[in-house]
Amino acid sequence: MKTLLLLLAVLCLAVASGLKRVTLTRHRSLRKLLRDRGQLSHFWKAHKLDMVQYREDCSAFTEASEPLINYLDMEYFGQISIGTPPQNFTVIFDTGSSNLWVPSVYCVSKACTQHARFQPSQSSTYQVVGTPFSIQYGTGSLTGIIGSDQVVVEGLTVSNQQFAESISEPGKAFVDAEFDGILGLAYPSLAVDGVTPVFDNMMAQNLVELPMFSIYMSSNPESSMGGELIFGGFDPSRFTGTLNWVPVTQQGYWQIQLDNIQVGGTVVFCADGCQAIVDTGTSLITGPTKDAKEMQSYIGATPVDGEYAVDCSNLSAMPDVTFTINGLPYTLSAQAYTLTEYVDGMAFCTSGFQGLDIPPPGGPLWILGDVFIRRFYAVFDRGNNRVGLAPAVP
């Protein structure tokens, strides 16, 4: 698709009166919830693999936005509805996958019974498709069938959207999560069963002015607004400077090229370049296990109870970590790449890096998850197959 500069110039003038925006809310940290229950260590060990998404002076776009989840720290998630009358579900908006699924009323797994379940017989617009569905998220998996109905995402009504009705969610992967399902925002090539992703249908049904969406994640733990996911544009007030546009290198995940990774100003990883994905469905920053262990050593993190802990009083002395992308540095201070929880008035700090081996041909890959996105506003441009990044406003 050709660059949309001319269209954008028109939209900057025409869309101002039709602006629509919804803020995201933050909920109680799952990390804190599990620690209070004495389940954090078990959950972490069991689900490591699941921690697996124009012009800048235009001030208005046709927009709609929704919440997300961060599994083990700041949780961002939001509500969609399916069917007529609407049945509401809380979902992760995940740039690392491409399918929409929610639990089915026919599912009896513990994970399903503790969450909202879709009842097809209660929707006048539901259509049976019946194709079997199976998807694997690291150690978490589910099976079900495909159905079709209208899906509403903050006022945007997507007609004839195929989605998976989960009928089995074995194990504990989704039991303690505060979300019901997942809405994938990656490319169609990742979609199981060849289902057209929700955002592709938004574009095809002319529900968005521009073929892009953008994500802002608040880094302020005291803020009631957790963040903002905008369909159809981006918000320049959420970032500083201008967007650095980075070409997508492979249209599956939102995959880009890393020039290198520096620790304390010295290139340590990816000296000859490597591949990374920008993934809202991954809480941390992950890399190949060998590199991740080396990173923990560089920042002074030590394994404790299934996590890599750091001394909270030492953050100011820890090195910066810089990802060089398309020639520009994206630097994270220790305060940015560590996670801090307060338990009984005591600070508990952990590393925001984690090992995850993605085998060839898809991998190896670094995953720039929520730890990265909280510091850098991200725009996902399907029209030009590129990702825009800029420092986020705190």
Side-chain angles (χ1 to χ4, degrees), residues 322-338:
T322 299
F323 297 85
T324 306
I325 304 172
N326 202 25
L328 295 182
Y330 293 81
T331 299
L332 299 176
S333 66
Q335 288 80 2
Y337 66 69
T338 56

Side-chain angles (χ1 to χ4, degrees), residues 39-80:
Q39 299 172 324
L40 179 59
S41 177
H42 171 77
F43 184 82
W44 181 274
K45 293 174 183 177
H47 303 104
K48 270 186 178 180
L49 294 181
D50 287 332
M51 301 303 119
V52 268
Q53 216 259 220
Y54 308 83
R55 293 177 55 86
E56 287 74 26
D57 57 359
C58 178
S59 60
F61 296 91
T62 295
E63 303 170 354
S65 54
E66 283 285 344
L68 314 169
I69 272 188
N70 178 323
Y71 274 132
L72 292 181
D73 187 67
M74 302 169 73
E75 297 178 355
Y76 305 87
F77 48 79
Q79 192 176 85
I80 66 169

